[in-house]
Amino acid sequence: MTLTTDADRLTDELLGVAEHWCGEGTRLGAEYAQAFVEVTADIRLDCAVRDGAAVETGSVLARRSGVGLLLRYRDSWWFGSAPLAEPQALARQLALVCPTGPRVPPAIPRLRSVPGPPSPWPAVADAGLAGRWCAGAQPVRLDLIQDFFHRYRVVVDTRGVRAASPVSGGRQRCSATAVGADTVARSFTRRSRPDWGAETPVGELVESVDAIARDAVRRARGLLPARNLGHRRTPVVLAPKAGAALLHELIGHAVEADNFEKHTHLVSAMTDGPLCDAPLGLVDDAGVPGGIGSLGVDDDGQPGARTTLVQDGVLVGRLTNLLAAYPDAAGSTGNGRRQDYTRASLPRATNTVVLPGPDGVDRLCEVPPEGLLYVLALSSGETVPARGDFCFSAAEGYYLTPGGGRQPLRDVNLHGDARGTLRRLVGIADDVEGDNVTCGKQGQSVLIGLYSPTMRFDSTDWWC
Amino acid sequence: MSDAPPPALRAAGSLSGAARAGEALEVRTSRMSRRKHRITAGRVRSGAAVTGAAPTLVRLARDGREVHLWVDHLSAATAPGTLAEAREMLRYGRPYRDAAALHPDADWDDQRYVDHGMRDPDGPLAAFWRSVREAAEAVGDRLGIRVAVADALIVEEQHTEVFARSDHAPRTFSLTRIEARLLVEVRQGQRRTRLWAARHGNRIAELPVADLLTEAALRGAVTLAADGRREPRRQAGGALLLGPRPTAALLRVLANDLFDRPDAPRPAGPLRHVLVDDAHAAGGQHSRPFDHEGSPTGRTDLLDGSGQPTRMTVRGGLPAAAAGAARLTGNAYAPVGQAAPMPRPTNVGLAGVGPGSGERAAPDGFSGLFGFNLRGEGTQQIRAGDVIRFRVETAYLRAGAVAGRGATLFVAGTVRRLLDAIEAVSPGTSYVPWRDHSTACVWTLFAEEGRLTDRP
């Protein structure tokens, strides 16, 4: 792997491309022009563990280098994109809206100064860890995915923005499957760090893989005896990290400027008085140390910030990007994020943080006569922004009974309406923990951080 | 739109010839041109075709290991650097085994999958609009409501793919994807509502317009029936007819379960309806003659008549012990810019195999619950256990017409239990495209709603 790094030279080269296209936008009559250029090297190393032995199941390097051009032209927004090696493709797209036609810069065939990733996998396979993970009477299988990404991004616009943001990091994910007589149980664990890169000691990565794999195996085996309980209505306590995932879906997406300005039924309901009696504080914080969504400047070149969304249970803020705030130059909250150069930015979360509350964890976990659902990990969720209907699935949960029973549950599903569920938020503890996840919106995936303490919702419907 | 091969397709062929002794080199690249047409009050406006990037997958194999590189542009200038990097990456490669193909090589009939008529779109679009208006009138007459189409948006995609190997001549195929989105207006007395509805196909003349308008008209009538009613009327038990769009969502969950949990126990026993993957399905949005590893594709029962799954295999990661017996099913799929080829479905549908599995599900004359919307199926892929759960919004049909709003059903079951509950499916050649596969857009009849709903 070539590791020659010349970040300054690369940045200058990319800024030159961005300035060319931004200048062409202006020359062709655009009221506003923004050019975003990126060069990436993403590595994925997959591994499967079967019968106690590890085998690589995928080794992929993905290179991407291209430019995305956003124009405000004749009172409309226009976006086009092309690989750096094929600038004439962007010129052709632009010629469809600006008949005078742009000047095409020289093609850049290949940039090799982006650093490569570390090579942890052979060490993991050689370390004899797979046998340890699978030790025990209950058969177990594992699938591990390691992603490392290195991205150089620059953005230039006609308002004077000229920003460069190298982004790197890594993510490890594990799914373990415990095999029973007539059923299987899966669990999912993950860990990611924005500072994982070419300089990270291999031993640190191996240790991390070992930790998430052992955790996944333990959880999967614990879920094998889980039962099907049907429909219940009980208090629901969300463990640290899980609450932020729920609030990100119920509130976070609703306050993204493009959704907020649709004035949907959900937005109207949320702005019509306090969301809950509990002293809920919710912020979007681009500066969380170690947060996978942390950023210095967003993908529009605007500074990342901390934006208060909910204060003392009342909705007070929203997330914007440059396009949503236009023409107000100061109106962006620095939340413009995009998956890659082929898309324009959208208002997106960076790190969703639920602030610590006044309650003790023990009090929040008190079990009423009807029992209590304790959700350790939410796996995925979706909300219909217009109506506020949501569905969440929890891969791992426990039904707690007044007598001290603790029944493991898998595939718990929570369905409800956002406004009614938020009203039932009754307690927030102070044991904040963090997680990093992938968030999807309009076909674009970005990594975000989720931070929250233990939280309790009264009288909530769930199915298992 | 132009039929000329773009530079990336030519570069794929030249790179595959650069392999050294002992190396196997493959290049897969695709290109898509997209064009939109709008029909308003019979007037057609066609936009210019926009050609996207040509994401390219390069595979280099040597000494039993393989590595994959994704690049967003491959040309004569970029090819040497890509190949050099692939050689450097080989030390991280995964083991692979070549195996025999399950399906024979089949000719790809362009006439079946490519809409050549859209080279000059005015005629086909005018004919499509006429068929839409006639169908709207006929559906309205049948349901006793007024149905009209205010607007039509046609999205046309011409997809071309090349697969080149260092030891074979390059192969290529083309496919047209047509999406027709109609803005349908439904009137009943003084009340009216508008909604968008869509169908997909390979050729505009073959889109099931009447079926699309029937589903849209029923959904519109449900909206009108719900006006002013605070609580939906509760219906207990009886037959449930799931609409085409919700059926496509259900099939997506079922197919994902079989591919994501290949080792999960599947109880044996006869099934009347099996889940079929057909890479040659007419109307399929993911139809193809060869997969992302170049293996020939075909039709495979994902879950056969005895309830047993077919194991989908790709070359990479194939266990050595299984290599002798396993056959490549033609289901290798590599998501762009992300991963190496892995087993994924192509076009998934239902087929009747057992006694009494006739294709008779249809809304005409049907009385019972009509499931018009699925919620929550998108959260079901990352599951710990066997049970799939989602909500179905329903209405009550009497003799094929909407009689009132029904209750929301909470459906729960294993793949087996959900398939067991299917009584009949309608014929159909329209598929809903998801990111990596398509699922059939057909009416599905469940004989007893109680067999689907949640219970301890």
Side-chain angles (χ1 to χ4, degrees):
Chain A
M1 182 62 57
T2 302
L3 294 174
T4 49
T5 305
D6 188 350
D8 292 341
R9 188 177 62 80
L10 176 65
T11 301
D12 284 348
E13 202 170 4
L14 301 186
L15 282 169
V17 174
E19 281 164 354
H20 169 88
W21 284 109
C22 191
E24 285 305 287
T26 309
R27 192 180 66 82
L28 295 172
E31 174 190 319
Y32 170 81
Q34 179 202 76
F36 172 90
V37 183
E38 73 167 351
V39 176
T40 72
D42 295 351
I43 286 269
R44 173 169 289 187
L45 303 167
D46 295 355
C47 169
V49 176
R50 301 286 185 270
D51 302 322
V55 61
E56 294 88 346
T57 52
S59 313
V60 180
L61 169 63
R63 290 270 189 208
R64 196 169 61 234
S65 58
V67 54
L69 181 63
L70 176 71
L71 301 181
R72 180 75 178 172
Y73 183 76
R74 294 183 179 171
D75 296 328
S76 295
W77 290 102
W78 178 89
F79 181 81
S81 67
L84 291 184
E86 205 176 358
Q88 66 278 13
L90 182 56
R92 281 197 299 271
Q93 294 168 49
L94 195 47
L96 296 174
V97 286
C98 304
T100 50
R103 292 177 295 212
V104 181
I108 300 178
R110 188 161 197 86
L111 296 151
R112 298 264 341 238
S113 52
V114 177
S119 52
W121 187 248
V124 173
D126 296 344
L129 296 171
R132 272 173 45 194
W133 297 335
C134 300
Q138 199 76 60
V140 68
R141 297 187 286 262
L142 292 99
D143 292 284
L144 287 145
I145 301 174
Q146 298 188 88
D147 289 305
F148 301 98
F149 49 94
H150 299 262
R151 296 168 187 169
Y152 282 76
R153 295 178 155 185
V154 304
V155 59
V156 169
D157 78 1
T158 48
R159 288 177 169 177
V161 166
R162 195 173 186 276
S165 58
V167 181
S168 65
R171 184 165 59 151
Q172 297 174 330
R173 287 174 284 167
C174 179
S175 110
T177 305
V179 184
D182 57 358
T183 188
V184 296
R186 289 194 302 174
S187 79
F188 310 89
T189 53
R190 60 190 171 232
R191 185 178 287 180
S192 56
R193 290 180 62 107
D195 57 349
W196 275 345
E199 306 303 318
T200 308
V202 167
E204 180 184 327
L205 297 167
V206 173
E207 218 171 87
S208 176
V209 165
D210 187 32
I212 65 167
R214 280 188 286 114
D215 192 25
V217 169
R218 180 183 57 78
R219 290 178 174 203
R221 284 177 170 154
L223 286 173
L224 262 183
R227 282 199 304 132
N228 187 4
L229 297 180
H231 172 225
R232 299 288 172 107
R233 178 175 292 175
T234 72
V236 172
V237 173
L238 301 179
K241 302 187 275 193
L246 182 71
L247 295 192
H248 171 77
E249 289 294 330
L250 301 194
I251 301 175
H253 281 298
V255 298
E256 291 164 346
D258 50 346
N259 288 331
F260 192 86
E261 279 155 19
K262 289 175 183 165
H263 303 295
T264 60
H265 170 72
L266 174 60
V267 168
S268 301
M270 282 184 168
T271 50
D272 183 23
L275 295 174
C276 54
D277 292 333
L280 174 65
L282 183 70
V283 300
D284 182 84
D285 190 350
V288 176
I292 201 81
S294 295
L295 46 84
V297 293
D298 72 0
D299 294 334
D300 292 325
Q302 305 299 310
R306 177 184 163 103
T307 304
T308 301
L309 302 174
V310 178
Q311 192 168 22
D312 286 332
V314 177
L315 194 67
V316 295
R318 63 190 178 119
L319 303 176
T320 64
N321 66 342
L322 187 138
L323 193 147
Y326 194 86
D328 178 5
S332 170
T333 56
N335 287 89
R337 304 191 65 193
R338 63 181 100 202
Q339 178 174 291
D340 54 48
Y341 73 85
T342 64
R343 331 279 182 97
S345 82
L346 295 169
R348 304 292 294 268
T350 57
N351 301 298
T352 301
V353 182
V354 179
L355 301 177
D359 302 304
V361 174
D362 288 346
R363 191 184 76 74
L364 297 188
C365 292
E366 284 173 2
V367 182
E370 68 270 27
L372 178 147
L373 171 65
Y374 184 80
V375 174
L376 201 63
L378 290 172
S379 50
S380 59
E382 61 186 34
T383 307
V384 182
R387 306 195 313 190
D389 292 357
F390 72 86
C391 305
F392 259 91
S393 65
E396 185 176 1
Y398 296 89
Y399 179 58
L400 309 184
T401 62
R406 191 171 186 266
Q407 168 70 45
L409 304 174
R410 58 184 187 228
D411 299 338
V412 179
N413 291 265
L414 295 101
H415 296 264
D417 78 282
R419 193 67 187 87
T421 301
L422 290 168
R423 278 197 198 100
R424 293 193 287 275
L425 173 61
V426 293
I428 305 166
D430 62 356
D431 53 341
V432 176
E433 292 181 26
D435 194 4
N436 295 304
V437 300
T438 303
C439 172
K441 176 182 175 183
Q442 295 178 26
Q444 295 199 50
S445 295
V446 297
L447 290 170
I448 64 166
L450 296 172
Y451 296 82
S452 61
T454 300
M455 303 169 72
R456 177 173 173 132
F457 294 81
D458 266 348
S459 193
T460 301
D461 288 313
W462 52 276
W463 286 258
C464 173
Chain B
M1 289 195 272
S2 168
D3 290 337
L9 302 187
R10 295 196 297 271
S14 64
L15 180 60
S16 65
R20 295 174 182 165
E23 289 179 344
L25 188 58
E26 294 175 357
V27 181
R28 178 199 158 266
T29 190
S30 61
R31 191 131 204 170
M32 192 261 290
S33 288
R34 195 166 203 255
R35 180 165 60 163
K36 291 180 180 174
H37 313 271
R38 186 147 210 151
I39 312 175
T40 307
R43 181 166 166 261
V44 176
R45 286 174 297 160
S46 294
V50 175
T51 301
T56 301
L57 181 67
V58 176
R59 170 190 181 253
L60 181 67
R62 191 175 63 207
D63 300 330
R65 298 186 89 81
E66 64 177 7
V67 69
H68 292 84
L69 270 73
W70 273 108
V71 290
D72 57 359
H73 177 84
L74 186 70
S75 66
T78 62
T82 300
L83 185 51
E85 204 155 47
R87 290 188 175 120
E88 289 179 63
M89 277 284 292
L90 254 179
R91 60 193 165 111
Y92 308 117
R94 69 177 180 181
Y96 74 95
R97 300 269 171 167
D98 277 319
L102 178 67
H103 302 292
D105 258 323
D107 288 336
W108 184 256
D109 181 4
D110 258 12
Q111 299 304 318
R112 198 172 172 202
Y113 305 101
V114 178
D115 197 338
H116 296 293
M118 290 298 278
R119 285 177 179 157
D120 180 8
D122 287 354
L125 290 170
F128 172 75
W129 183 249
R130 279 195 301 276
S131 70
V132 163
R133 293 189 59 178
E134 289 165 11
E137 201 168 314
V139 168
D141 289 347
R142 201 170 65 237
L143 297 179
I145 53 180
R146 180 155 182 265
V147 180
V149 177
D151 211 352
L153 178 66
I154 313 297
V155 181
E156 171 200 2
E157 292 180 357
Q158 300 290 353
H159 174 87
T160 305
E161 187 167 321
V162 167
F163 185 86
R165 290 174 57 156
S166 47
D167 55 351
H168 284 83
R171 305 167 67 196
T172 185
F173 77 92
S174 297
L175 174 85
T176 304
R177 294 183 182 134
I178 301 273
E179 178 188 13
R181 281 185 236 162
L182 305 182
L183 180 59
V184 181
E185 182 175 287
V186 179
R187 285 187 186 215
Q188 199 158 23
Q190 296 301 308
R191 292 175 299 157
R192 69 171 186 172
T193 188
R194 281 185 163 193
L195 68 157
W196 285 96
R199 282 290 189 277
H200 300 78
N202 298 134
R203 298 155 64 89
I204 193 165
E206 294 170 1
L207 289 173
V209 172
D211 196 57
L212 160 60
L213 286 163
T214 299
E215 186 182 25
L218 289 174
R219 282 173 48 212
V222 172
T223 303
L224 296 178
D227 275 359
R229 182 169 298 170
R230 292 178 66 85
E231 291 295 327
R233 180 147 48 118
R234 183 165 289 278
Q235 300 289 337
L240 170 69
L241 182 67
L242 206 57
R245 189 80 195 188
T247 295
L250 169 65
L251 293 179
R252 178 191 179 203
V253 181
L254 301 183
N256 279 334
D257 188 277
L258 293 171
F259 278 80
D260 294 342
R261 307 188 323 126
D263 299 323
R266 307 284 175 186
L271 277 170
R272 276 188 305 176
H273 291 87
V274 298
L275 214 49
V276 175
D277 182 77
D278 187 358
H280 294 242
Q285 301 295 283
H286 286 82
S287 293
R288 52 176 47 255
F290 50 83
D291 68 7
H292 289 191
E293 290 184 331
S295 300
T297 58
R299 177 184 162 111
T300 311
D301 288 350
L302 298 179
L303 207 57
D304 66 18
S306 64
Q308 290 309 291
T310 302
R311 191 173 188 92
M312 299 293 170
T313 50
V314 299
R315 286 183 310 209
L318 197 60
R327 291 203 289 171
L328 302 174
T329 54
N331 287 85
Y333 167 85
V336 172
Q338 292 179 26
M342 61 183 81
R344 296 306 297 162
T346 58
N347 307 301
V348 176
L350 289 162
V353 292
S357 62
E359 293 178 332
R360 59 182 182 276
D364 292 355
F366 175 76
S367 293
L369 280 178
F370 163 49
F372 62 90
N373 198 9
L374 236 68
R375 296 273 188 218
E377 83 283 359
T379 67
Q380 294 300 295
Q381 194 158 351
I382 307 174
R383 294 197 336 273
D386 305 309
V387 179
I388 295 164
R389 281 191 182 79
F390 50 85
R391 285 186 301 175
V392 180
E393 293 178 295
T394 69
Y396 190 66
L397 297 191
R398 188 179 302 125
V402 173
R405 191 80 186 247
T408 297
L409 303 179
F410 288 84
V411 171
T414 60
V415 171
R416 170 79 207 204
R417 184 177 174 217
L418 295 172
L419 283 175
D420 265 339
I422 295 175
E423 185 78 6
V425 295
S426 71
T429 56
S430 183
Y431 288 78
V432 173
W434 310 101
R435 189 186 61 177
D436 56 9
H437 67 283
S438 304
T439 51
C441 203
V442 293
W443 299 85
T444 308
L445 179 67
F446 296 88
E448 169 56 56
E449 166 259 304
R451 291 169 65 189
L452 296 169
T453 45
D454 217 340
R455 59 189 175 191

